[in-house]
Amino acid sequence: MIGRRTFLLSLPFVGLTTMAALANPRQSSAIVTGQAMALINRYRSGNNREPLVIDPRAESAALQHAEEMARLGSLTHANFDQRLEDAGIVSPSAENVALGHDTVAQVIRAWQKSSQHRRNLLGSYNRFGMAVARNANSGNRPYWAMILSE
């Protein structure tokens, strides 16, 4: 019989955010947001934009939306204004969502290649939060959500 430690060591590299998401969704969103902040701020700096700071309200709203998308198995911006109002986030604001990328770096690169997502990444926002969620009902695929605001 394979011991637990041996089994874990034999798994292919899954990534910190994936393992954390399995253990604690709130912790996962903090890890995702922290990793994303470094990548996005480097991108923003290269485009003469001010850096973003983490907004716990945006992080919580992003996690709730990612969880909802994963539960439904649907990528959507439904009820965006109401969701942000409920979270206490004021306009102007924006949201990027994605499906199927395995790492923070992959999803950020995909958003950089999309004109609308890139516009949001480089917008006049200064606060953000980001999360990823998986649900067995939708094949455990990663659903990503990012909320940006002033």
Side-chain angles (χ1 to χ4, degrees):
M1 177 170 189
I2 297 174
R4 184 171 189 257
R5 183 181 306 263
T6 304
F7 175 72
L8 288 174
L9 292 174
S10 68
L11 288 173
F13 177 73
V14 177
L16 181 59
T17 57
T18 303
M19 293 301 286
L22 296 173
N24 182 336
R26 298 287 169 197
Q27 180 182 12
S28 173
S29 67
I31 292 168
V32 166
T33 299
Q35 290 177 350
M37 185 172 68
L39 295 169
I40 294 166
N41 283 341
R42 184 171 36 236
Y43 183 66
R44 287 175 63 90
S45 175
N47 286 277
N48 298 313
R49 300 287 190 224
E50 293 294 318
L52 298 174
V53 297
I54 297 170
D55 180 345
R57 296 169 305 174
E59 188 175 57
S60 179
L63 178 59
Q64 289 175 2
H65 189 54
E67 288 174 338
E68 180 73 1
M69 290 188 299
R71 185 182 66 75
L72 297 172
S74 177
L75 199 61
T76 180
H77 292 287
N79 305 313
F80 174 69
D81 292 331
Q82 186 62 53
R83 287 188 286 108
L84 267 56
E85 182 180 321
D86 292 347
I89 299 169
V90 297
S91 291
S93 52
E95 177 177 64
N96 285 355
V97 296
L99 167 63
H101 304 281
D102 290 322
T103 68
V104 172
Q106 287 174 353
V107 75
I108 298 297
R109 276 193 302 272
W111 285 337
Q112 289 170 345
K113 293 176 183 179
S114 160
S115 62
Q116 180 60 48
H117 293 105
R118 183 175 51 250
R119 188 174 313 127
N120 290 343
L121 289 174
L122 297 175
S124 62
Y125 307 109
N126 55 30
R127 305 174 70 79
F128 90 112
M130 186 169 159
V132 61
R134 297 169 185 261
N135 188 296
N137 293 335
S138 58
N140 285 317
R141 295 177 297 167
Y143 283 80
W144 299 86
M146 173 191 284
I147 295 176
L148 304 114
S149 68
E150 286 190 357

